[in-house]
């Protein structure tokens, strides 16, 4: 006898694969406060980066991360619910690092040499992508599920808020809402182009040069429109 619909067992769906109407940021279950726990937490993230580069996200497992970090699997699960949370934490870590570096440059916009600053900062970020292959692997992993993509959008919006504040002196008469949207566009384009630049067979230098041209043209138009309005 064929089971009725109400009696059929429900197929379990990985929560990271579900599309939510109000997606929430995937975050660690807790962040360590004591030095010993912080060392384990950092060791797990370092091992995760190495594993992503070695095997890619599809073959990435929490068990292998714990083994490489020499940390009990139970300890890993105290911090991270699953591998999707791990990769989201790596993405957050990458963005926080860039935000801290960008903060050091904020006084250079809108100096008369802001285009030189732009070129210098893009070169700096491009160097991060070539020297650390895990950045591209993290970015690719973030595209793997609806929940990781949604978390990536949240991270980009937080970064864009900082960029929007830096754009304010350059575009003094632009509405705040439009400046925020401009900043989100810039952040998304920069990250997409940097990951494009390190694809196999791609000329990194040429891609970075095109990124500079895109950003400079976009910002020059934005500055001109703002000051003439």
């Amino acid at each position: 006898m064929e089971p009725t619909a109400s009696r059929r067992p429900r197929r379990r769906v990985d929560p990271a694969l579900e599309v939510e109407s109000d997606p929430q940021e995937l975050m660690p279950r807790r962040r360590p406060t004591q030095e010993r726990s912080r060392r384990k937490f950092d060791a797990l993230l370092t091992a995760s980066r190495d594993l992503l580069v070695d095997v890619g996200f599809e073959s990435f497992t929490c068990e292998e991360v714990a083994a490489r970090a020499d940390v009990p699997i139970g300890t890993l699960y105290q911090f991270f619910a699953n591998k999707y949370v791990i990769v989201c934490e790596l993405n957050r870590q990458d963005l926080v690092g860039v935000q801290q570096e960008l903060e050091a440059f904020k006084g250079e916009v809108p100096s008369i040499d802001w285009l030189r600053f732009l070129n210098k900062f893009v070169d700096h970020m491009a160097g991060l992508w070539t020297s650390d292959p895990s950045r591209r692997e993290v970015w690719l992993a973030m595209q793997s599920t609806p929940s990781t993509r949604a978390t990536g959008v949240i991270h980009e919006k937080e970064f864009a808020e900082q960029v929007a504040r830096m754009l304010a002196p350059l575009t003094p008469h632009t509405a705040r809402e439009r400046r925020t949207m401009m900043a989100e566009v810039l952040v998304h384009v920069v990250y997409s182009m940097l990951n494009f630049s390190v694809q196999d067979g791609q000329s990194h230098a040429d891609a970075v040069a095109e990124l500079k041209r895109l950003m400079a043209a976009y910002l020059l138009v934005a500055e001109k429109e703002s000051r003439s309005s």
Side-chain angles (χ1 to χ4, degrees):
M1 181 176 178
E2 188 70 21
T4 63
S6 60
R7 293 180 181 175
R8 290 194 185 112
R10 294 184 62 186
R11 183 172 60 90
R12 293 187 62 186
V13 178
D14 192 315
L17 303 178
E18 295 180 328
V19 180
E20 300 179 11
S21 57
D22 182 24
Q24 302 297 310
E25 180 180 359
L26 296 182
M27 300 178 65
R29 285 172 164 156
R30 68 180 182 90
R31 298 188 187 280
T33 55
Q34 297 182 346
E35 180 62 27
R36 183 179 179 184
S37 294
R38 279 199 298 269
R39 287 199 300 268
K40 292 179 180 179
F41 188 84
D42 292 343
L44 288 166
L45 292 178
T46 299
S48 296
R49 285 190 183 279
D50 293 341
L51 184 59
L52 273 176
V53 173
D54 289 347
V55 305
F57 190 59
E58 187 173 343
S59 299
F60 182 101
T61 66
C62 291
E63 290 75 13
E64 181 61 21
V65 169
R68 289 190 177 208
D70 196 22
V71 171
I73 187 65
T75 300
L76 181 148
Y77 285 125
Q78 288 177 13
F79 297 123
F80 305 107
N82 50 48
K83 70 178 189 176
Y84 307 105
V85 177
I86 294 176
V87 78
C88 287
E89 180 64 11
L90 291 175
N91 189 65
R92 189 198 68 82
Q93 190 181 64
D94 286 345
L95 276 173
V96 166
V98 173
Q99 285 178 277
Q100 291 172 344
E101 292 164 355
L102 187 60
E103 188 70 17
F105 288 99
K106 69 178 181 181
E108 299 191 44
V109 179
S111 73
I112 195 169
D113 287 333
W114 71 265
L115 279 174
R116 183 181 302 172
F117 152 73
L118 177 68
N119 287 337
K120 183 168 64 174
F121 191 72
V122 170
D123 283 337
H124 175 70
M125 290 192 66
L128 295 177
W129 258 254
T130 53
S131 64
D132 182 3
S134 74
R135 285 179 177 266
R136 179 170 183 265
E137 295 302 328
V138 169
W139 186 82
L140 289 172
M142 290 295 290
Q143 315 310 310
S144 63
T145 71
S147 290
T148 51
R149 287 195 296 272
T151 297
V153 170
I154 293 170
H155 291 171
E156 285 191 4
K157 284 183 179 294
E158 291 173 356
F159 187 18
E161 289 174 5
Q162 180 186 9
V163 174
R165 291 193 295 271
M166 293 185 68
L167 291 178
L170 190 68
T171 56
H173 304 301
T174 299
R176 180 181 298 179
E177 293 78 11
R178 181 157 187 259
R179 191 183 299 125
T180 297
M181 186 270 291
M182 289 167 55
E184 291 175 359
V185 167
L186 284 169
V187 169
H188 188 73
V189 167
V190 168
Y191 270 79
S192 297
M193 282 294 292
L194 287 174
N195 285 287
F196 170 75
S197 76
V198 292
Q199 289 182 6
D200 293 340
Q202 182 58 250
S203 169
H204 176 71
D206 288 348
V208 170
E210 291 304 309
L211 172 59
K212 290 178 182 178
R213 290 179 62 189
L214 283 169
M215 294 180 69
Y218 185 73
L219 291 173
L220 283 168
V221 170
E223 181 185 29
K224 182 179 179 180
E225 288 181 348
S226 181
R227 296 190 184 280
S228 63
S229 62

